[in-house]
Amino acid sequence: MMRQVKASEISGRITELAREANFIFPGVLIRLIDRAVKREENPLAKQALGAILTNIRLAKKMPLPLCQDTGLVEVFLEIGSEVRINLKPFSCLEDVVSEGVADAYQKYFLRLSVVDPLTRKNTGNNAPALVHARLVSGNKIRIHLLAKGFGSENMGKVINLAPGSGCLDIEDFAVKCMEEAGSRPCPPVFIGVGIGGTMEKAALLAKEALLYPEELTVPNKDKELRTLEQNVLRRVNKSGIGPAGLGGKNTALAVKAKKFPTHIAGLPVAVNISCWALRVAHGTI
Amino acid sequence: MKKVKLPFNKTDLKTLRAGDEVLLSGVVFTARDQVHKILSAKIRADQKKKTDPVFPFPVAGQTFYYSGPTPPPPGRVIGSAGPTTGSRMDRYTPLLLEYGLKGMLGKGERSAEVRLAVKKHSAVYFITYGGCGALLASHIREAKIVAFPELGPEAVWRLVLQDFPAVVAIDSRGKVFP
């Protein structure tokens, strides 16, 4: 039995998720920052973490976006195979999602940051959004929305390592990536590591690793990935970059790695960094 | 905590030391990538014509805030207004310092060339809390677009700050913090 879902219901939900992501910081991640404040010994760094907590509170209360870079929106969809979406003639899923994003960015006074890559002409409504959709079983649509600021997005990297490389090489690559980024991606950061597949699959895995706040707060179930995450976190926090680049031992709040089988001849690895202000929201239709 | 009035009087600026925590009050102009590109192109064109550049908003003696605020919602002077990455302006900064820019406010490290140019022209680079646009907006008393409105989020805003928290990252002697 097919379940009918109107396109307008999807775009309406996207609008509200875009608002939520930009104004409300995930509670489980506030606890990570609270813990960082307790651990931090550098007074300036402690103050910067305090400013972050105040900012989170003010953003919700005022209300103003957590950050002025309200990002490029990426939406990950899991669409149940029993769902039927009524699209307007000659339109596609990307249009529906982008319409929701455009509404949010105008309605909630968010910054319009999307431009033509060459002429730099603004699209005027923060659309289009990036859409990654998967068909799954069931009759629901799950939506995972990320508003990604480019201070941190600019610091991501992809590399094709030799197949003989191992966990240590991947760790080295991730740590070097963060050391080179310094305070540009607004530390304390979240680091996503994507391992395997192809170049673009690794990049997508690194991005997906940042998508779920709860996952960021618990150790990986996979033994190798868990060790890798812990080692990268420990090494990055020894870098001395610290909150807002003011020094101290809280440069990263969490590291999350995901993997996918790859070819005998290769080992693609991607690192994606998120500023502390991870703007994500999740919903189900 | 040092209180700093903007635009600077010269003594004020020279007493600042890398690592000082400061509270900034007074006028700054927002300027990001596109504005830097346009101003630099204008300077180069005027140099060829051997004329002094006239800018569409004050530059000499002033401070640029690397920020592209969100639009102000009803009842507020400005939206979220935190700093953007300073190093993207590195390629334009020495030229602007030569033409009188005195202060910069942003986030992140700068190039060796910028550090030397800051020293040469006795200027200063401040950093503030990245990602704290709501908090920092609460330290902005007035805001008005004064140039390049067509650039949208990259338009130039004249902002009046009040006790805006920052740290001196490069001082007029070229010393760097941290």
Side-chain angles (χ1 to χ4, degrees), chain A residues 226-258:
Chain A
R226 186 168 63 239
T227 308
L228 186 140
E229 289 168 1
Q230 288 165 349
N231 289 345
V232 172
L233 185 64
R234 191 181 38 123
R235 288 173 62 186
V236 163
N237 281 336
K238 276 190 187 160
S239 67
I241 298 166
L246 295 169
K249 51 180 166 183
N250 288 287
T251 301
L253 292 167
V255 178
K256 189 54 55 185
K258 285 190 182 288

Side-chain angles (χ1 to χ4, degrees), chain A residues 64-65 68 109, chain B residues 69-73 76-82 133-134 136-137 140 157:
Chain A
L64 278 186
Q68 77 290 341
F109 299 91
Chain B
T70 60
R76 294 212 169 270
V77 294
I78 192 81
S80 194
L136 295 172
I140 297 172
W157 291 78

Side-chain angles (χ1 to χ4, degrees), chain A residues 44 47-48 51-52 54-55 58-59 62 64-68 70 109-112 120 122 151 154 181-184 186 244-246 276, chain B residues 21 32 34 68-74 76 79-83 85 87 107-109 127 129-135 137 153 177-178:
Chain A
L44 266 182
Q47 209 167 296
I52 287 172
T54 308
N55 187 69
L58 283 178
M62 287 167 96
L64 278 186
L66 285 153
C67 175
Q68 77 290 341
T70 50
F109 299 91
L110 301 174
R111 200 178 76 184
L112 307 178
R120 311 307 290 182
N122 202 297
N154 276 337
S183 63
R184 292 177 190 93
C186 290
L246 295 169
W276 69 261
Chain B
E21 291 175 68
R32 293 174 45 106
Q34 294 301 321
T70 60
R76 294 212 169 270
S80 194
T85 307
S87 62
K107 69 174 164 93
E109 301 80 358
I127 54 174
Y129 305 127
C132 293
L135 168 68
F177 176 85

Side-chain angles (χ1 to χ4, degrees), chain A residues 247-285:
Chain A
K249 51 180 166 183
N250 288 287
T251 301
L253 292 167
V255 178
K256 189 54 55 185
K258 285 190 182 288
K259 65 178 181 178
F260 190 87
T262 190
H263 189 277
I264 47 170
L267 177 55
V269 177
V271 172
N272 196 292
I273 300 173
S274 168
C275 53
W276 69 261
L278 180 59
R279 266 77 49 83
V280 288
H282 305 267
T284 305
I285 293 178

Side-chain angles (χ1 to χ4, degrees), chain A residues 161-175:
Chain A
L161 291 174
S165 307
C167 283
L168 191 60
D169 301 286
I170 297 170
E171 284 171 24
D172 286 349
F173 176 65
V175 172

